[in-house]
Amino acid sequence: MRAKIVWLMTNSCAGDSISFFNALHPDYRQMAEEFFELSYDTFVMAGQGHIATGVLVEFLEGPPDSFILVVEGSVPVAAGGLYCVLGHVGGKPWTALQAVKELAAKARYVVAAGTCAAFGGPYAARPNPIGSKPVSAVIPQKVVNVPGCPVHPDWIVGTLFHLAEYGLPRLDEYNRPILYFGETIHDRCQRRHYYESGMFAQEPGEPWCTYKIGCKGPVTHADCPVRHWCGEHANWPVGVNTPCIGCT
């Protein structure tokens, strides 16, 4: 039986969903038809209004542990959560804060997709008038954090597949899968030898180590240097002469 996925989009730029849809191996069609049952996803579902929210209500009223909850975006808590309303249930606004809390209590696993959901991201930056918080700050359940701005499609797809087939993967102290976030950018960077030799770029575009122009590689955990981005793993930021900004 395919694992059911409920993907909630809260305060988000939608970049993580777009990245997810750009997965290649497997691609989105394979995920939707072979591996998972994408029961709710704002971006791709045809239903709206009570038809859409009715799907979520069915999960709330159904058996526990019957789905994996994915949350994309931070969760605003100011004004009782009214800065992000997902729909109306029982004639009242149903906020992202309520939805995340209620669905997480019924979910088998909770996954925070992207940096905003995992750690707050730009939405939680000062002065943060809407009180944005990461998913882990608003629910007591364990949250598997899969950060990235956006999240790499391999990271989120691989994590969901592992949860569906094998359960929780090994996690680090920030609840990130060690498989993808176990080493730093600096550990695996192709320009590490320039760092060791003291050969540093003075401005973006130069082919040397970019540490002295702001690269966050030494403190950023991700496998970008070996996984790469853009379709068939074509390149990554340092590969095109720009420093790592530490998006994870």
Side-chain angles (χ1 to χ4, degrees):
M1 179 181 294
R2 291 178 296 161
K4 291 181 169 65
I5 305 291
V6 171
W7 188 298
L8 289 186
M9 187 180 296
T10 58
N11 275 6
S12 169
C13 69
D16 302 301
S17 283
I18 294 170
S19 186
F20 176 62
F21 297 147
N22 280 318
L24 286 178
H25 306 296
D27 62 21
Y28 179 75
R29 180 179 293 276
Q30 287 176 291
M31 286 188 283
E33 296 180 354
E34 298 177 27
F35 303 124
F36 308 118
E37 183 177 325
L38 295 166
S39 304
Y40 183 95
D41 190 323
T42 307
F43 251 30
V44 294
M45 65 189 184
Q48 56 183 308
H50 71 278
I51 295 176
T53 54
V55 174
L56 300 179
V57 171
E58 287 181 7
F59 278 113
L60 289 176
E61 296 176 345
D65 302 330
S66 62
F67 65 97
I68 297 173
L69 175 65
V70 179
V71 182
E72 173 184 355
S74 62
V75 184
V77 301
L82 286 173
Y83 285 103
C84 185
V85 175
L86 301 185
H88 285 73
V89 174
K92 297 180 179 180
W94 199 38
T95 67
L97 179 60
Q98 291 174 293
V100 170
K101 284 184 174 182
E102 294 171 14
L103 287 163
K106 295 297 292 280
R108 181 182 176 193
Y109 301 108
V110 181
V111 178
T115 294
C116 289
F119 304 127
Y123 287 98
R126 292 181 182 178
N128 192 11
I130 63 175
S132 286
K133 292 187 176 184
V135 176
S136 59
V138 300
I139 62 172
Q141 291 82 7
K142 187 181 191 70
V143 178
V144 179
N145 290 319
V146 191
C149 191
V151 64
H152 195 294
D154 289 0
W155 300 340
I156 186 64
V157 173
T159 299
L160 290 175
F161 188 83
H162 198 290
L163 290 171
E165 295 295 322
Y166 308 110
L168 280 173
R170 290 178 59 218
L171 305 174
D172 68 7
E173 60 182 316
Y174 296 105
N175 284 346
R176 301 173 298 189
I178 288 176
L179 175 64
Y180 306 118
F181 304 98
E183 296 182 86
T184 67
I185 296 288
H186 189 63
D187 289 334
R188 309 182 78 172
C189 182
Q190 298 97 319
R191 300 190 184 189
R192 175 68 181 266
H193 60 293
Y194 292 134
Y195 175 89
E196 302 293 351
S197 300
M199 300 172 67
F200 297 100
Q202 299 302 308
E203 59 184 34
E206 295 183 349
W208 322 119
C209 174
T210 59
Y211 176 69
K212 290 190 175 180
I213 56 172
C215 182
K216 301 298 183 183
V219 294
T220 300
H221 287 75
D223 62 4
C224 302
V226 293
R227 187 170 301 278
H228 292 186
W229 290 74
C230 304
E232 293 286 355
H233 306 283
N235 216 325
W236 70 294
V238 174
V240 290
N241 298 321
T242 187
C244 164
I245 63 170
C247 80
T248 60

